[in-house]
Amino acid sequence: MANRLGKEGQGLDVALGGFLTPSRISVGMSCVGLAERAQELALDYAERRVTFGKKLSERQAVQFMLAENAADIEAAKQLVLHAARAFEAGGEDASMLSSMAKMTAVSMLTRVTDKALQAHGGLGYWKTSPIERVYRDARAQRFEEGTNEIQKTVVFRELLRRTARGGAR
């Protein structure tokens, strides 16, 4: 009893709030970093690669993909930062926000790396291509600190708690 954290019966809440919340925020920001690297590689490649007399960066389809990536990255980054601020402030919603941030960042990373690889074409699959490694590393983020299905469970559980308390947002 002298070494117990929290009240009896709150072990899972202590574990989730004390470890998983900051860890999920960290994974979310790692996803943002990987996505930024994928975007950087795609932009660089699009500027260098010429097909049929035009740079890839001059092709509207590539421009749209990379513009969507930029918006996706920024949106995920802001949610992760919002979750981090809530955690640092001891916010009641920090656990839910960390799950939202991790879930959103993982989904964003999947979309961004897919488009970045698409911009590279078949050369992107080669082991010698830096985008191949980023694409492969991105996949592993789906399993860190719980899958998106687990994050959805955490978020929904908190939504139910809020509804029961009359504080649905």
Side-chain angles (χ1 to χ4, degrees):
M1 288 254 268
N3 296 318
R4 182 177 66 211
L5 297 175
K7 295 179 184 172
E8 189 173 332
Q10 290 186 325
L12 184 60
D13 288 340
V14 169
L16 294 178
F19 171 73
L20 286 177
T21 297
S23 187
R24 287 174 176 156
I25 292 167
S26 177
V27 170
M29 195 49 81
S30 293
C31 290
V32 169
L34 272 172
E36 287 176 339
R37 179 63 177 146
Q39 179 78 338
E40 176 185 289
L41 291 169
L43 284 165
D44 181 61
Y45 185 78
E47 271 294 292
R48 290 183 292 109
R49 179 74 169 127
V50 176
T51 60
F52 303 103
K54 283 176 88 170
K55 290 181 182 180
L56 287 180
S57 63
E58 295 172 354
R59 300 194 180 282
Q60 192 175 51
V62 174
Q63 293 170 356
F64 283 5
M65 283 193 301
L66 299 182
E68 288 170 349
N69 277 359
D72 243 2
I73 292 167
E74 188 62 28
K77 181 190 295 183
Q78 293 306 317
L79 182 55
V80 172
L81 290 172
H82 179 58
R85 287 188 292 272
F87 175 73
E88 287 176 346
E92 186 180 308
D93 58 350
S95 177
M96 180 177 74
L97 287 171
S98 75
S99 286
M100 287 178 172
K102 196 260 182 191
M103 175 177 55
T104 299
V106 165
S107 295
M108 170 277 298
L109 180 59
T110 300
R111 291 188 302 273
V112 166
T113 54
D114 187 60
K115 290 175 189 166
L117 184 65
Q118 182 71 28
H120 282 78
L123 293 177
Y125 284 105
W126 292 14
K127 287 262 189 201
T128 56
S129 175
I131 191 64
E132 183 275 337
R133 176 64 189 260
V134 173
Y135 187 78
R136 190 165 27 98
D137 287 349
R139 181 75 175 143
Q141 298 301 310
R142 293 180 181 197
F143 311 111
E144 294 287 327
E145 304 311 340
T147 63
N148 273 5
E149 290 71 28
I150 295 298
Q151 306 317 314
K152 292 171 189 176
T153 300
V154 171
V155 170
F156 187 73
R157 183 177 60 224
E158 182 57 27
L159 292 174
L160 282 180
R161 276 191 203 151
R162 288 179 178 199
T163 300
R165 289 191 314 239
R169 292 184 189 182

